[in-house]
Amino acid sequence: MENTRMYADSLTAVPSPAPLPTDEPTPSAPTPTSAAPTAAAPASSRWRLLWHLGEMAVAMVAGMLLLGPLWELAGTALGVGDALARPEVAALVMATNMTVGMTVGMRYRAHRWQAVGEMAAAMYVPFLLLLVPFWAGLIDADALMLGGHLLMIPAMVLVALRHRHEASAPVRRNRVVVALAHRWPAGLALLMTVDMWFDPSVLSPWTMLVLPGGYLVIGVARRTLGGRGVLATQLAGLAIWVALTLVAVLAGGRTAAWLVAFGWLAHAGWDLAHRNGRVVPRGYAQFCVVLDVALAAVMVLAILTTDA
């Protein structure tokens, strides 16, 4: 029987990673204590690796979105905004934000502290290496930022490959934390709007075309538009938001601002109607409904705090 491990907060058994290849002879037939090798094992291992890297990328972006505005507020309050704006400081602050998000994500996934520490080094070391040529005047601030991110990618992959066969660390998670983690698309949507609450503004009317367009693109990619009336419904939604966009463009001014806010808020109802996963994944609909409501609220705040 295949070895399994149990997460402390779940009753779901997770298969253990595949063992490293050895020089021992392979049995000609499966036995009760060994499974027959299959071609699917390497593919499954690669998929888990890519999924792990994708999760970390999302966690890093979340860290930047959440902590970035806090650094700006702290810099303004403490009078060190100019120091934080220096390229080398900004690069290290960004690495810190990504590391915090990555650490939270990896610890939730029960990765051991050694792997977390090595992945944190993958965040910082590329920028630290480029500080020397930056201070010497050999590269500019843009090259520092771009080069640090480009070097970070292979560093992350190497760390992930090094620890891909390690068993998860024992961890017990609070039920509230688990429930919030299962709603991560909604949390990501909120993080994406954090900085907008500090400087609210109204989006362009043309952004409303993204709302129905996203459903059509994803539906085509997933091949979920072939059901009875599905394509007609999506095209009807596209027509509605195109019409609303054109009216807002022609109206202009404060009227256009209210129409844009209404268009985004109304699309939250469209998201709720698609939460069954028939056209788009349920997580995408969950993400969109929170993002639409948050952006609509930001735009209403911007309208109300702006003189007519």
Side-chain angles (χ1 to χ4, degrees), residues 184-234:
W184 69 266
L188 180 60
L190 287 176
L191 288 176
M192 292 180 63
T193 62
V194 167
D195 58 337
M196 299 187 67
W197 290 98
F198 298 100
D199 186 20
S201 61
V202 179
L203 299 177
S204 166
W206 297 106
T207 59
M208 288 192 289
L209 297 181
V210 176
L211 303 175
Y215 274 74
L216 283 169
V217 171
I218 294 175
V220 170
R222 298 182 72 212
R223 300 180 180 179
T224 54
L225 299 179
R228 182 177 180 182
V230 175
L231 179 59
T233 301
Q234 299 306 314

Side-chain angles (χ1 to χ4, degrees), residues 28-53:
S28 58
T31 66
T33 58
S34 64
T38 63
S44 177
S45 179
R46 287 194 297 269
W47 172 249
R48 287 198 301 270
L49 176 64
L50 292 174
W51 183 263
H52 170 52
L53 291 171

Side-chain angles (χ1 to χ4, degrees), residues 103 107 111-118 169:
T103 299
R107 285 302 296 169
H111 291 277
R112 298 182 181 275
W113 279 112
Q114 181 181 354
V116 174
E118 292 180 12

